Amino acid sequence: MAAPPAHETLRVVLASADIAIIRDFRVGSLAECLACVQQAATAFERVFRRPPLSVVVMQRPPLSAQPGTAGLRPGDVSIINMCGKITHAVLGQHVYNPGCEAATVDTHDGFGARRGVGTVYGNFMTSVQGNTTLFRAARRSTDILQASALLFRDGAVRDVMLHMVVAVSVLPHAVLMSGQQIEVALCAAESWTASRVAVVEENVYMKPVRLRRGNIAVLVHVYSNGTVFFFITCTDVPVTPAADLYFVGICRELYACVAAVC
């Protein structure tokens, strides 16, 4: 076995039956390479209580990052989209502040004809009757509340509720799609009811698992590069500063299940 070039990044793939993990190491000598392989094998046996049946060492392929993950460290959770509905008091079509009326535009989408405005806080689209406003592309509850206070007349907002939250995190290691331990770990998550999602051919670089607890449903997507997306749908969750912490807590709970076996 020839010594690897100085400071080359190698990938070690360890597998046993339906378990497979990846470890990347930067090595500068054959001795360092062998030590890293031993370190990876020891970690495998410590987590899964069995030795790997196969160990493969290769050059690490080029890395690719998913959108929204720049600057994230393993375990960090970033909310990248919050969607929901604002219910208005009975004020007819004139729910916007007079100073904001000129910024509104007419649109037509799958929800019908709407009139709204795009802001740095998110997009707000109001029904032609003026009784509801849908919002999306927000990132913080405080942004939604601040935008609502700026856009709408005093007394025009009755309640602001969340329907969906999308968050992202990154694992410390890449993920091998042939391993099944991530799906097993999520399906065993305490207090959650989980089901695996069939993967079509174009999704061979992603593992989806659907979970539910009470009025919260989460679709978890784990990608081969270690990115984890959480698509959370909910009912009757008011927009408050505490809501962000609540959803981040859910993501961290499920992230811990994945990270423990990756």
Side-chain angles (χ1 to χ4, degrees), residues 55-89:
V55 178
V56 178
V57 181
M58 65 185 74
Q59 286 186 321
R60 188 190 68 184
L63 299 179
S64 60
Q66 296 282 358
T69 60
L72 283 183
R73 297 171 299 177
D76 288 348
V77 175
S78 175
I79 294 177
I80 59 175
N81 191 8
M82 303 180 82
C83 307
K85 183 175 73 172
I86 299 169
T87 302
H88 295 290

Side-chain angles (χ1 to χ4, degrees), residues 212-230:
R212 175 172 289 278
R213 181 170 65 191
N215 67 335
I216 302 293
V218 186
L219 179 61
V220 180
H221 284 180
V222 181
Y223 284 81
S224 60
N225 62 3
T227 303
V228 185
F229 282 96
F230 304 90

